[in-house]
Amino acid sequence: MKTKHILWFKETGINDVSLVGGKNASLGEMYQNLKKKGIKVPDGFSVTAEAFRYFIKQNAIDDDIKRILKGLDTGNMRNLAERGYRVRQVILGAEFPIDLRNAIIEAYVKLSKVYDPKKSFHIFWDKKDHTNHFAGGADVAVRSSATAEDLADASFAGQQESYLNITGEYQLLEAIKKCFASLFTDRAISYRVDKGFDHLEIALSVGVQKMVRSDEASSGVLFTIDTESGFSDAVVINGSWGLGENIVKGKVNPDEFIVHKPTLAKGFKSIVGKKLGSKETKLVYSVGGSASTQNVAVSQEDRKSFCISDEEALKLARWGTQIEDHYKKPMDIEWAKDGRSGELFVVQARPETVQSQREKNVLEEYILKSKGKILCAGAAVGGKIGQGKANVIKNVAQIADFKKGEVLVTEMTDPDWEPIMKIAAAIVTNSGGRTSHAAIVSRELGIPCIVGTSNATQKIKDGKSVTVSCAEGEEGHVYEGILKFEVKKTNLKGIKKSKTKIMMNVGNPDQAFDLSFIPNDGVGLAREEFIITEYIKIHPMALVHFEKVKDREEKKKINDITQGYKNKEEFFVDKLAEGIGRICAAFWPKDVIVRMSDFKTNEYATLIGGKAFEPAEENPMIGWRGASRYYDEDYKEGFRLECLAFKKVRDAMGLVNMKAMIPFCRTVEEGKKVLAEMEKHGLKRGHNGLQVYVMCEIPSNVILAKEFAQIFDGFSIGSNDLTQLTLGVDRDSVKVAHVYDERNEAVKELVRQVIFKAHKARRKVGICGQAPSDFLDFAKFLVEEKIDSISLNPDTVIKTMIEIGKMEK
């Protein structure tokens, strides 16, 4: 292709990075190839890298740049800042060659006519300086696009500048010149030195693209891979009100949607995660003044509402997977919704550069060995642990005082902070989400980061030692002092699967994507209890019969938690379905056996609004729990909500790898009643492949195993309760704790019997109790008895799998 100063998106593709830079090459690729598939990309043109070189050459400033950068020390913040400023001033002081200026103006007029064909645009010729002048014009985004950016191993996240709502000749030319100068921002210079790029070998193209009026709607970022775990079957979408810069720069805590790709591809509405962000501010067009955009407060009503609908999230996820399929690699995509037309657009796409490069055969686990006082908490990024002296910085002017190995604590970061981010032990910010600048850069640098704490700069004292832990799930904690931790690395290549299926016990959906990388045969026990206590927090009957909750404070809490839901029952169904769905998605298409709620009455009573619906029992452990609740008039409406959540996971999300399991089912008659209740609410055993298992944790389950096998599809041995009820021991009593032992011969005999009876009835039987996780000899006993599967705590899976493999030999 002949090199030009202006190239339209329709003239360029992904192979033209040397001509128009990574960002613009990708826009051209999508405009040419994906627009016809229904993905909307706003039109525009590139001021080429050759135009940049021409600008530098015609103004004879390349020698000035070499001279200024000679002897540069990027480790010295003041030295770096002074030299960067001088280079930028040289570029900003230069003038556009007349022919380049005219070419830009002509292209801008042409773009303006595309979007406003009825309007008459006039170019005025200035005889004095032989230049074109142009009144008015389309509102455009002006973005830098470096010729070495957005490569598979270098994200150049925010290294150069972008300018939004640029209108008219003067603003456009100034924005392009500022983009040229931004090739030499402090962070860009420092980044190139680290990556080994020659400053003058890299040129800059500038993209001029029609603005999407997301200032009147919303915008955000989506990744076609989970940004924390590297789980490749998920699309993660972040969104907020207004223009997208606030999300990228971490100024807001955004909404988040997680979509499961394999079931989405089959046409299901597989949103398996959904979180409402606080979204306090939004970036909009300025009215008057020198700035083109300004931040304004978001109304309380909008803060409490998601910035896009579920249908729009699913549409974006579908577009994301199409873009990923086209590029054949995980992608980082920016999107925007036009508030006037209501249409969604993709405004940028680049390769994801962190998780897609990770070594998948080595499992690295950071394990905190002790706990301390939690100073603050937020969204965990990176899965690691870092520690050091806290350096609380409230203004970018203070970054020169930051020392290597300190923990950076600030409101938020932007690209100007990168020279110190790369020497930090960890990063903690008040604002921002998982796709903010701080999150993206810390992932690339491989350091732990906690974003969106809201109060880190107040709670963490400058100069005090802290431990930043991102290794405890989705919520990260900043602890007081230096705490002990270890890093455990396991090479997964050498681990061979055993004949006995090794499954996992999983309760926390936030950890499911991470846990999926451990060798496994699925989930033998997914517990509802964590989802209810952590995500829902409210007693289901308090949502069904809100009018019966008399406590004013509890009523207020319920209203606050269920904000955005007119029907409070739907809140319970949605949140339970999302939690279960995320676990099922993580292990798809392997079996995930989900145990229906197994709280005791005293535990149910601790949920918000629970006291009004729970009796006081002397011995809740063998009281009103499990199956006996599900058909009881005092709880069956609560069980209905559980059934509807299960139905949503299977029918709406398409996650048919989910199996249901009934806990503490004392009699066969009780089992039949529960199955009848499930069928009333659309969960018919056998329909659409639904299997229903029963927990084997009461001696009656063993004695009548043949009869239970006639109404259930399989058994899962709960060794904790089976031991308790076989030996008549309260496992919580210190006085008789010495008697409690799963390896007691009476317990083993019952286990032996149920395995034999289940197999005779051609039913599968597994175990999900604690015993095989704690005792290898008990695991060996189970293998000898030919149990079908053993479900273990995640931290014991690899060790037990190796030992069972030896036993089987």
Side-chain angles (χ1 to χ4, degrees):
M1 184 186 290
K2 186 182 175 185
T3 304
K4 301 177 184 177
H5 289 162
I6 301 294
L7 285 171
W8 289 83
F9 291 167
K10 64 184 178 184
E11 298 178 284
T12 53
I14 200 61
N15 296 322
D16 297 317
V17 173
S18 61
L19 299 177
V20 295
K23 214 173 263 135
N24 291 337
S26 182
L27 281 169
E29 181 75 13
M30 289 192 296
Y31 193 86
Q32 282 196 66
N33 298 295
L34 295 174
K35 196 177 176 189
K36 55 195 172 194
K37 293 184 179 179
I39 296 174
K40 294 181 179 176
V41 180
D43 198 3
F45 61 87
S46 301
V47 179
T48 64
E50 184 58 31
F52 170 80
R53 292 189 182 98
Y54 181 63
F55 174 87
I56 296 292
K57 187 178 178 182
Q58 289 296 105
N59 284 284
I61 55 181
D62 44 351
D63 287 337
D64 290 338
I65 294 171
K66 283 181 188 174
R67 179 176 46 78
I68 293 169
L69 294 180
K70 190 176 180 181
L72 169 73
D73 177 9
T74 56
N76 183 324
M77 298 301 141
R78 287 189 174 86
N79 180 284
L80 173 63
E82 187 219 336
R83 289 169 189 264
Y85 174 77
R86 285 168 58 197
V87 173
R88 294 192 296 277
Q89 289 306 114
V90 167
I91 295 172
L92 291 171
E95 294 294 333
F96 280 98
I98 291 172
D99 56 342
L100 175 56
R101 176 194 176 106
N102 288 343
I104 293 169
I105 297 301
E106 285 168 15
Y108 180 46
V109 171
K110 188 175 176 182
L111 182 64
S112 299
K113 286 180 177 176
V114 168
Y115 283 94
D116 199 349
K118 292 180 182 177
K119 191 171 182 180
S120 178
F121 295 100
H122 298 287
I123 297 179
F124 303 97
W125 176 256
D126 190 325
K127 293 180 182 177
K128 190 174 180 181
D129 60 8
H130 303 285
T131 57
N132 287 329
H133 293 280
F134 172 51
D139 50 337
V140 293
V142 180
R143 292 191 176 93
S144 308
S145 180
T147 55
E149 74 177 345
D150 296 339
L151 305 178
D153 60 347
S155 75
F156 282 70
Q159 291 303 313
Q160 281 78 49
E161 297 293 356
S162 294
Y163 300 92
L164 305 179
N165 186 24
I166 299 302
T167 308
E169 167 199 335
Y170 175 76
Q171 276 196 350
L172 176 62
L173 292 170
E174 279 300 299
I176 291 171
K177 197 189 289 186
K178 286 177 182 176
C179 284
F180 284 172
S182 76
L183 190 59
F184 293 94
T185 55
D186 301 352
R187 76 263 185 172
I189 295 169
S190 173
Y191 192 89
R192 285 196 294 273
V193 169
D194 290 345
K195 291 286 181 183
F197 290 103
D198 186 309
H199 297 295
L200 290 172
E201 284 298 311
I202 292 174
L204 191 87
S205 168
V206 178
V208 179
Q209 185 180 37
K210 176 67 176 75
M211 283 287 292
V212 175
R213 292 304 303 266
S214 58
D215 60 309
E216 296 182 7
S218 56
S219 58
V221 181
L222 75 84
F223 285 84
T224 63
I225 188 171
D226 180 51
T227 52
E228 300 315 307
S229 65
F231 180 71
S232 60
D233 277 352
V235 173
V236 179
I237 302 167
N238 277 189
S240 188
W241 299 113
L243 302 171
E245 294 243 320
N246 277 359
I247 284 188
V248 175
K249 291 186 174 178
K251 290 183 178 179
V252 293
N253 296 327
D255 296 336
E256 182 176 83
F257 295 82
I258 300 172
V259 183
H260 183 233
K261 290 194 284 195
T263 45
L264 176 73
K266 293 182 177 183
F268 291 100
K269 297 179 179 180
S270 45
I271 297 173
V272 297
K274 193 174 167 184
K275 284 185 182 173
L276 188 69
S278 52
K279 311 182 296 292
E280 296 95 342
T281 60
K282 64 178 177 179
L283 192 66
V284 298
Y285 280 17
S286 283
V287 180
S290 57
S292 57
T293 58
Q294 66 183 58
N295 263 306
V296 297
V298 174
S299 69
Q300 284 296 328
E301 185 181 352
D302 280 350
R303 288 186 199 184
K304 293 175 181 179
S305 303
F306 283 96
C307 66
I308 53 173
S309 67
D310 286 2
E311 287 301 324
E312 287 169 330
L314 292 166
K315 185 174 190 174
L316 287 171
R318 281 190 287 270
W319 283 3
T321 57
Q322 285 178 285
I323 293 169
E324 179 181 60
D325 289 344
H326 179 78
Y327 284 97
K328 294 182 171 57
K329 60 184 72 172
M331 298 296 288
D332 166 359
I333 299 162
E334 291 183 28
W335 60 270
K337 180 181 177 181
D338 194 297
R340 297 185 172 182
S341 68
E343 295 176 297
L344 290 168
F345 292 86
V346 168
V347 295
Q348 207 174 119
R350 61 178 77 83
E352 193 277 342
T353 59
V354 180
Q355 293 298 348
S356 54
Q357 307 296 310
R358 198 182 77 170
E359 172 56 69
K360 296 290 194 294
N361 286 316
V362 176
L363 185 69
E364 186 177 74
E365 298 172 273
Y366 278 68
I367 302 160
L368 200 61
K369 304 299 284 185
S370 59
K371 295 285 178 81
K373 179 185 175 184
I374 295 175
L375 300 175
C376 61
V381 175
K384 295 183 178 180
I385 296 172
Q387 45 196 201
K389 282 187 179 177
N391 192 329
V392 181
I393 298 180
K394 296 183 179 178
N395 190 304
V396 70
Q398 300 171 277
I399 69 172
D401 301 323
F402 190 86
K403 294 181 178 61
K404 186 175 181 179
E406 292 181 331
V407 173
L408 173 61
V409 183
T410 187
E411 174 63 35
M412 64 177 185
T413 68
D414 62 35
D416 289 328
W417 295 69
E418 286 179 34
I420 66 167
M421 292 172 77
K422 67 187 181 186
I423 59 173
I427 297 167
V428 185
T429 67
N430 286 350
S431 59
R434 295 179 201 282
T435 53
S436 64
H437 176 267
I440 290 170
V441 173
S442 63
R443 277 189 211 103
E444 185 174 321
L445 295 171
I447 57 175
C449 173
I450 299 176
V451 294
T453 63
S454 78
N455 58 4
T457 53
Q458 286 80 46
K459 294 291 183 179
I460 301 171
K461 290 184 179 176
D462 188 56
K464 294 291 184 183
S465 294
V466 294
T467 295
V468 178
S469 173
C470 295
E472 302 165 82
E474 208 160 84
E475 186 172 79
H477 302 117
V478 180
Y479 293 98
E480 189 174 70
I482 303 295
L483 304 181
K484 289 182 179 178
F485 71 93
E486 69 170 332
V487 183
K488 184 181 173 186
K489 290 188 178 183
T490 307
N491 190 330
L492 303 178
K493 273 185 178 176
I495 297 173
K496 292 181 180 178
K497 282 196 172 184
S498 55
K499 290 176 186 173
T500 307
K501 284 190 174 182
I502 302 299
M503 304 177 85
M504 248 189 282
N505 299 335
V506 179
N508 184 349
D510 292 346
Q511 295 177 338
F513 289 167
D514 280 307
L515 296 176
S516 70
F517 289 98
I518 298 172
N520 69 83
D521 292 299
V523 176
L525 173 63
R527 304 180 186 92
E528 277 189 27
E529 289 75 30
F530 182 90
I531 300 168
I532 293 172
T533 54
E534 295 298 317
Y535 293 175
I536 298 171
K537 301 178 182 179
I538 305 164
H539 194 289
M541 293 298 288
L543 295 169
V544 174
H545 291 292
F546 183 59
E547 75 284 354
K548 292 185 179 179
V549 180
K550 302 303 180 188
D551 187 295
R552 281 188 180 181
E553 194 175 324
E554 289 201 321
K555 283 184 94 80
K556 183 181 182 305
K557 282 181 184 176
I558 293 171
N559 279 325
D560 288 345
I561 293 170
T562 59
Q563 62 184 8
Y565 281 87
K566 290 179 182 176
N567 183 332
K568 296 187 188 307
E569 293 181 11
E570 284 179 14
F571 168 78
F572 185 95
V573 173
D574 284 356
K575 291 301 155 196
L576 184 56
E578 285 163 21
I580 294 169
R582 187 155 170 182
I583 298 172
C584 293
F587 293 88
W588 172 269
K590 300 169 188 171
D591 288 349
V592 174
I593 302 170
V594 184
R595 185 180 70 191
M596 301 191 104
S597 62
D598 192 26
F599 285 121
K600 288 80 178 171
T601 49
N602 57 326
E603 293 167 335
Y604 262 121
T606 63
L607 295 172
I608 298 168
K611 286 175 187 164
F613 301 96
E614 295 298 327
E617 293 187 302
E618 289 297 322
N619 194 343
M621 188 71 79
I622 53 173
W624 191 41
R625 61 176 284 203
S628 61
R629 296 180 68 94
Y630 302 161
Y631 56 87
D632 191 293
E633 289 297 330
D634 289 337
Y635 186 74
K636 62 195 292 186
E637 290 174 294
F639 182 62
R640 170 175 57 86
L641 302 187
E642 290 185 46
C643 291
L644 293 176
F646 276 50
K647 183 175 169 56
K648 183 175 181 179
V649 170
R650 290 179 58 85
D651 295 355
M653 297 179 183
L655 292 159
V656 292
N657 59 327
M658 189 207 79
K659 296 180 177 181
M661 182 156 68
I662 308 303
F664 225 76
C665 187
R666 295 171 170 96
T667 69
V668 177
E669 290 70 28
E670 194 165 56
K672 288 176 180 177
K673 287 180 181 178
V674 170
L675 290 170
E677 282 299 316
M678 291 174 71
E679 193 171 333
K680 276 185 198 173
H681 308 300
L683 288 179
K684 183 178 181 180
R685 180 181 160 230
H687 177 69
N688 195 20
L690 174 63
Q691 292 191 343
V692 184
Y693 278 44
V694 66
M695 290 286 290
C696 176
E697 50 193 340
I698 307 168
S700 63
N701 301 141
V702 180
I703 296 163
L704 296 177
K706 180 183 174 183
E707 288 75 13
F708 276 102
Q710 289 170 6
I711 64 167
F712 290 110
D713 296 290
F715 296 85
S716 186
I717 301 164
S719 57
N720 297 6
D721 276 344
L722 188 60
T723 302
Q724 181 173 230
L725 295 171
T726 302
L727 300 178
V729 174
D730 178 354
R731 70 183 191 221
D732 294 332
S733 170
V734 178
K735 287 290 184 184
V736 290
H738 61 283
V739 179
Y740 183 91
D741 185 357
E742 297 97 323
R743 294 168 295 176
N744 182 282
E745 195 53 44
V747 179
K748 288 171 75 175
E749 179 56 32
L750 289 180
V751 170
R752 192 179 286 117
Q753 282 186 39
V754 78
I755 295 173
F756 174 78
K757 290 180 179 181
H759 285 165
K760 192 173 181 182
R762 294 182 179 174
R763 292 286 185 258
K764 287 184 179 177
V765 59
I767 187 167
C768 59
Q770 188 68 28
S773 292
D774 290 347
F775 309 116
L776 275 173
D777 59 336
F778 193 83
K780 184 179 179 183
F781 156 72
L782 295 169
V783 173
E784 288 169 348
E785 295 300 323
K786 295 185 170 54
I787 197 164
D788 294 300
S789 63
I790 298 175
S791 195
L792 302 160
N793 293 339
D795 59 343
T796 65
V797 166
I798 292 171
K799 174 184 72 178
T800 311
M801 187 177 280
I802 292 168
E803 290 302 319
I804 286 176
K806 291 176 186 175
M807 294 172 199
E808 289 177 341
K809 281 183 182 178

